[in-house]
Amino acid sequence: MRMLDHTSNIARIAAILKGFDNANTPRRTHEIIDSIGGSRSTGFGLLRAMTVAGWLERVDHGLLRLGPRSRALAFSGLEPPVKRGGRKLAVQRHSGEDAARPVAFEWDPRLVRVVETAGFRRPAPWRIGFSNASTGNAWRRALLESMSYARKIAQPQIAELIHLDAGDDPDRQCRQIDSLVEAGVDLLLVSVASVTNAALSARLRDLADGGLPIVAVDRRPNERGSLVSFVTASDHRIGRTSALWIAERLGGQGTVWMLSGLEGASPVLRRQQAALAIFSEFPGIRVENVSYTNWTEDGGHAAAAKLLAEAGQPPDAVWCDSGLQGVGSVRLFLEEGLPVPLHTGGDLNRMYKLCLHNKVPMAALDYPASMGARAIEVAIDVLCGVPVPQRVEVPVQVVLPRGQETASVKADLWAERHVAWDLGDDAILSQGPALRGGTVRQGRVAGS
């Protein structure tokens, strides 16, 4: 695979953004591509990547306008300081600044680096293998349902989607990947069981060197050279924004327990790192403990119970990187008859139901399970020989109950409108169209 020149792409991106008028009038896709020069495949790849990242948004078939990230950047310098009760929000910081903290600007150049895939073009129908880290929690099952839903839509092109569950065991995943290769898959989708497992990374590298296209989804190996593309969402945004919400809701003073998911999983590491970086900017915030919960309700309940027994009193906030374990923590405080601290963690319908019903202050950033469907779209592009972005980010939205916004953290969606009271507790609300109609169909191969 060959990386297209990203310097010229950055110039094209600048031209795309400058091409919209002050009213943000929608422009036709072919008009934008003709205005920036270069091949149509490169132009379509850039527009797709910019739309996924939120710089552009679709308003109708073939029509685009500036998206929420572009609009926020354009007007951020014009926004007045946010006030609460007639006074500017005061937060103790290292710099002594009194003004509200602006959310950091994110930019990842891999979002505009496009990979040439003509060498992977193969006639349809295709067999696609998915080596899944596990289906051990509701989110991971929702990822698979989203993928299966997209496969049904593309059924004339995809003859079979073969799914194997590694049970979070990297050695088992290596064996399963070999089984998928022996079954003759045309492309391998992978969500790695361990980001640090050398044998798994080496096996993927060998397969890529042998010509097999590999697309990672959700979790990638540390060694990225084996991948054509990586379909994900911003773990840094999840960790940073949730921590900033806690710090501002507490006025820069208080104790925090951190309940993370699966120890060693790449999303956990990135979310933790981003959250701790934010907490370190507030000297009055004290992180008392970091625990792991395996992204389960029982794990969250057990971790919170252990910490409560040791501390003798609740913290001011519980930072969770997902509602998968957050529900267990909230449930513990309710069972003990204690005031429930501030909580973070989205994804799970039950987390929204529990917090809204009991008026628990919460902030959620759903990790989009719809990236499963997006991975299928990327796989089809690769097998059609269409250039694809090196990194595809599915947008992450901030979900807050009304009245829970802070100076820097604003709601993209209100939790009261996002919750699905008519669906089961295990529903993953970021699943996309598959949420109300997707079914899981698992293929099997020998040796799994």
Side-chain angles (χ1 to χ4, degrees):
M1 56 188 170
R2 179 172 62 87
M3 203 75 67
L4 302 184
D5 178 41
H6 63 274
T7 303
S8 58
N9 281 340
I10 290 175
R12 292 188 181 108
I13 289 167
I16 290 170
L17 295 176
K18 289 193 297 184
F20 291 88
D21 60 23
N22 290 340
N24 197 15
T25 304
R27 300 179 65 196
R28 295 197 174 278
T29 302
H30 68 80
E31 172 196 334
I32 298 173
I33 292 174
D34 290 344
S35 71
I36 62 174
S39 69
R40 296 190 70 79
S41 60
T42 298
F44 277 116
L46 283 175
L47 293 181
R48 187 183 299 115
M50 292 175 71
T51 303
V52 168
W55 297 107
L56 300 174
E57 65 182 5
R58 299 191 184 280
V59 292
D60 201 351
H61 182 68
L63 288 173
L64 295 170
R65 67 183 176 192
L66 294 177
R69 292 181 72 177
S70 298
R71 296 195 297 269
L73 181 62
F75 296 106
S76 61
L78 304 178
E79 294 176 356
V82 178
K83 297 184 178 182
R84 294 291 182 266
R87 305 177 105 184
K88 197 182 294 183
L89 178 69
V91 177
Q92 184 181 1
R93 304 175 57 79
H94 286 298
S95 60
E97 295 173 354
D98 194 38
R101 179 188 191 279
V103 177
F105 173 62
E106 290 183 86
W107 175 252
D108 188 332
R110 286 167 298 182
L111 292 171
V112 296
R113 291 178 187 162
V114 180
V115 179
E116 178 61 66
T117 64
F120 298 127
R121 184 186 296 119
R122 291 168 195 180
W126 308 294
R127 302 183 80 203
I128 295 175
F130 177 34
S131 177
N132 194 357
S134 79
T135 53
N137 61 53
W139 189 91
R140 300 213 62 81
R141 293 189 290 273
L143 173 75
L144 179 58
E145 287 173 1
S146 174
M147 194 175 286
S148 299
Y149 183 84
R151 182 257 170 173
K152 285 198 299 182
I153 294 173
Q155 200 158 359
Q157 293 173 288
I158 301 176
E160 189 175 12
L161 174 63
I162 306 173
H163 166 252
L164 295 179
D165 179 351
D168 287 315
D169 181 343
D171 295 328
R172 183 183 183 193
Q173 188 165 40
C174 280
R175 296 192 297 271
Q176 290 182 340
I177 287 172
D178 287 341
S179 296
L180 291 169
V181 173
E182 290 169 8
V185 296
D186 296 295
L187 180 142
L188 177 65
L189 295 170
V190 61
S191 180
V192 299
S194 171
V195 68
T196 58
N197 186 273
L200 180 57
S201 292
R203 185 64 186 125
L204 293 173
R205 177 75 264 179
D206 289 343
L207 291 172
D209 289 345
L212 180 68
I214 302 172
V215 174
V217 57
D218 168 44
R219 303 185 198 172
R220 63 162 176 78
N222 258 343
E223 206 284 288
R224 304 172 184 170
S226 60
L227 305 180
V228 177
S229 184
F230 176 37
V231 181
T232 184
S234 177
D235 291 301
H236 290 283
R237 174 169 164 78
I238 291 172
R240 184 181 62 247
T241 306
S242 56
L244 183 58
W245 177 81
I246 284 176
E248 291 188 342
R249 281 285 279 110
L250 295 179
Q253 300 284 335
T255 57
V256 177
W257 296 347
M258 294 184 69
L259 304 186
S260 291
L262 180 67
E263 187 170 8
S266 54
V268 165
L269 297 174
R270 290 193 290 269
R271 294 173 196 178
Q272 257 186 22
Q273 200 172 44
L276 287 169
I278 290 294
F279 287 139
S280 70
E281 296 182 18
F282 295 84
I285 295 291
R286 187 170 73 257
V287 176
E288 293 188 330
N289 189 277
V290 178
S291 301
Y292 295 94
T293 64
N294 294 325
W295 279 314
T296 65
E297 178 176 347
D298 288 345
H301 188 279
K306 181 175 182 293
L307 292 172
L308 184 60
E310 292 173 351
Q313 61 182 12
D316 296 298
V318 179
W319 179 91
C320 300
D321 66 5
S322 171
L324 294 169
Q325 70 268 25
V327 290
S329 175
V330 172
R331 183 165 60 86
L332 171 78
F333 293 106
L334 292 173
E335 290 171 352
E336 295 293 328
L338 296 169
V340 183
L342 305 179
H343 269 73
T344 64
D347 301 317
L348 194 66
N349 199 28
R350 188 181 182 195
M351 183 68 172
Y352 289 102
K353 289 180 176 181
L354 203 59
C355 290
L356 289 172
H357 180 74
N358 292 283
K359 295 182 171 53
V360 177
M362 72 170 298
L365 288 93
D366 287 353
Y367 190 53
S370 59
M371 69 177 71
R374 188 72 183 92
I376 291 292
E377 293 174 358
V378 171
I380 290 172
D381 281 347
V382 170
L383 292 171
C384 287
V386 176
V388 297
Q390 185 186 20
R391 180 183 176 95
V392 176
E393 278 197 4
V394 181
V396 174
Q397 294 182 305
V398 178
V399 186
L400 300 172
R402 293 184 186 277
Q404 293 299 324
E405 290 184 321
T406 67
S408 304
V409 182
K410 306 299 181 184
D412 296 312
L413 293 170
W414 295 120
E416 292 85 351
R417 296 179 64 86
H418 187 53
V419 66
W421 296 106
D422 60 323
L423 295 182
D425 289 350
D426 280 350
I428 299 297
L429 302 181
S430 62
Q431 193 173 333
L435 179 62
R436 296 180 183 269
T439 57
V440 179
R441 297 176 183 268
Q442 297 188 24
R444 299 293 181 196
V445 297
S448 63

